[in-house]
Amino acid sequence: MRITEAQMVSGWGNNFHSLSTRVVVTTHGEAEEIVSMATSNRGLLPIGALRSYGDSALNSGGTLIDVTALKFLTIDSDTAIATVGAGVTISELEHAALVHSLFPPVVPGTGYVTMGGAIAADIHGKSHHKTGSFSQSVLQMTLLLANGHQVTYTPSDPEFWATVGGLGLTGIVIELHIQLRSVQSNSVEVTEHRVANLAAMLDLLGRSDKDYEHTVAWIDLSGDYRGRGVVSLGNYGTKSVKEKSVTGGLSLPDIGGKNLINRSTVKVFNEIWFRKPLKSGPVALTKYMHPLDGIQKWNRIYGAPGFLQYQFVIDEGREEIFESLFTGLRGLKASSFLGVLKKFGAATQAPLSFPRPGWTLTLDYSVTVPGLEKFLQEFDEELVAAGGRVYLIKDSRVSPALIPAMYPELEKWRAIRSSMDPQRLWQSDQARRLQLC
Ligand SMILES: Cc1cc2nc3c(=O)[nH]c(=O)nc-3n(C[C@H](O)[C@H](O)[C@H](O)COP(=O)(O)OP(=O)(O)OC[C@H]3O[C@@H](n4cnc5c(N)ncnc54)[C@H](O)[C@@H]3O)c2cc1C
């Protein structure tokens, strides 16, 4: 076990900096020891790779239990079940699974996410309309509870679903059993289409659900906000391709805390992206799933003030909300470096899981954009009135008053959570900010 003196920790957005003690545990036994010694004053919080954007993985004045060293990983190729430690990353699982012609059914946009972080957020990928979210491939989980005991839960237990999307506030995920799917090769057969506006994008994404396992659109959220972009459609391929490692490559240098993102740089980037040659054919699975992983520390591009990622979901039939969002952002002269639009399928029974049927849009903005915070506060209200909600693992700013409307099963989650942790040992900055517990 390694215990550091209080140190500054930030999420991926670098917009919050929090001072806490960090304990790196290397075995289950060490995790049990630290839990048994803990007091609930500012409490404990398990953390993974700190790829959550806001304050979900921060615990100012408290203790962070870093479980990234819990790396055990075995795969039974007969049953296609992987047994993984909480610190195993999505990328590590993908590479181990591909050796057996298997693959995790749900992977996010970066391979650096750990198994613990994947459960705590109930992550989704480009295939949500077919495979649902991460928890739907989990057969069982072992959790270290606040009372120091390890318990194994399955999807028939309410504690399982309270932990799914539960933001690390029910206990430490120690181990998962994950049902993998078979693949014929290490590739995805990809087709890309350029679309001129949002209506064309929604139409193509909506029509492609049936025939494609992976659907996602990059949307240009700069300039006049017409919603032009590139729609990418893919199915698991049959031809294996030479795989260039996407992780551990280029690293964005420290640029002295300067923000390189402004209207002009974003406009140029979006123009290049829109005009780039369209892909057609097999692409390595890992490259297709994690396009940004080729550049380490790309979050430094926003400089010292950091950035926020705003992701929401809205029902089909409520598309008018996009126009309202685009008009407001155009008025602020705000440009998003990254805009991603996807369609979700059915929800799980987890009270705090984010995905549910409808459209989900993701935007990145520097926190320095004048008027952005006020505009997003007004937009949140409009979103809630239209029945939508924001993704909590990416949030750093939503008002606590809106959470019960966004997550109507919050009370159910609170009751299960309290029964698992009556002394409120598990705490985070986000839980305090949003009054979750
Ligand atoms: C470039 C990029 C792309 C992304 N793409 C997607 C995407 O496509 N889809 C998507 O859904 N998300 C996406 N995300 C968000 C990311 O998947 C989540 O934030 C995820 O939770 C990060 O996992 P982590 O290991 O970094 O956990 P951390 O950020 O360290 O922690 C996140 C939460 O998990 C909890 N936690 C961590 N480990 C454990 C554990 N062992 N037991 C219990 N709780 C634990 C923490 O307490 C915290 O609440 C993306 C993030 C980035 C940076």
Side-chain angles (χ1 to χ4, degrees), residues 204-318:
L204 182 56
L205 278 175
R207 279 189 288 118
S208 305
D209 264 15
K210 278 196 315 304
D211 299 330
Y212 292 92
E213 181 97 11
H214 307 287
T215 64
V216 66
W218 161 79
I219 178 167
D220 179 357
L221 298 178
S222 67
D224 60 7
Y225 275 85
R226 265 175 302 154
R228 67 176 185 172
V230 177
V231 176
S232 167
L233 308 172
N235 280 320
Y236 288 100
T238 49
K239 288 191 204 110
S240 279
V241 292
K242 210 161 158 233
E243 202 181 347
K244 233 172 82 191
S245 171
V246 287
T247 50
L250 284 174
S251 180
L252 195 78
D254 190 343
I255 43 179
K258 286 197 200 72
N259 175 14
L260 298 183
I261 297 294
N262 56 46
R263 280 185 84 201
S264 318
T265 50
V266 172
K267 205 165 168 212
V268 171
F269 168 81
N270 278 294
E271 193 60 39
I272 294 170
W273 195 265
F274 186 67
R275 304 275 165 218
K276 77 181 177 77
L278 297 175
K279 282 191 194 108
S280 174
V283 175
L285 262 164
T286 47
K287 186 171 175 212
Y288 180 73
M289 299 300 176
H290 317 304
L292 286 174
D293 284 358
I295 307 174
Q296 305 261 313
K297 301 189 179 161
W298 62 259
N299 54 344
R300 284 181 173 169
I301 204 167
Y302 286 92
F307 68 109
L308 56 88
Q309 186 160 96
Y310 186 69
Q311 182 172 1
F312 65 92
V313 59
I314 189 79
D315 289 354
E316 274 189 272
R318 304 307 295 259

Side-chain angles (χ1 to χ4, degrees), residues 11-13 45-58 64-68 70 85-90 106-126 142-143 163 166-175 289 292-293 298-299 307 309 311 338 340 342 344 354-355 362 391 393-394 427-428 430:
W12 190 247
L45 184 70
I47 59 161
L50 291 172
R51 252 48 184 199
S52 48
Y53 282 80
D55 53 358
S56 311
L58 305 183
L64 300 175
I65 306 188
D66 179 333
V67 294
T68 50
L70 298 185
V88 170
T89 64
I90 291 282
V106 177
V107 299
T110 172
Y112 291 110
V113 165
T114 65
M115 296 297 131
I119 273 288
D122 196 18
I123 57 164
H124 56 271
K126 301 172 179 63
T142 302
L143 204 59
T163 303
L167 305 164
L169 299 167
T170 59
I172 307 179
V173 173
I174 297 286
E175 179 185 289
M289 299 300 176
L292 286 174
D293 284 358
W298 62 259
N299 54 344
F307 68 109
Q309 186 160 96
Q311 182 172 1
L338 182 94
V340 178
K342 302 185 217 186
F344 279 157
F354 166 67
T362 308
Y391 192 6
I393 208 73
K394 296 189 172 176
Q427 296 187 34
S428 71
Q430 182 175 50

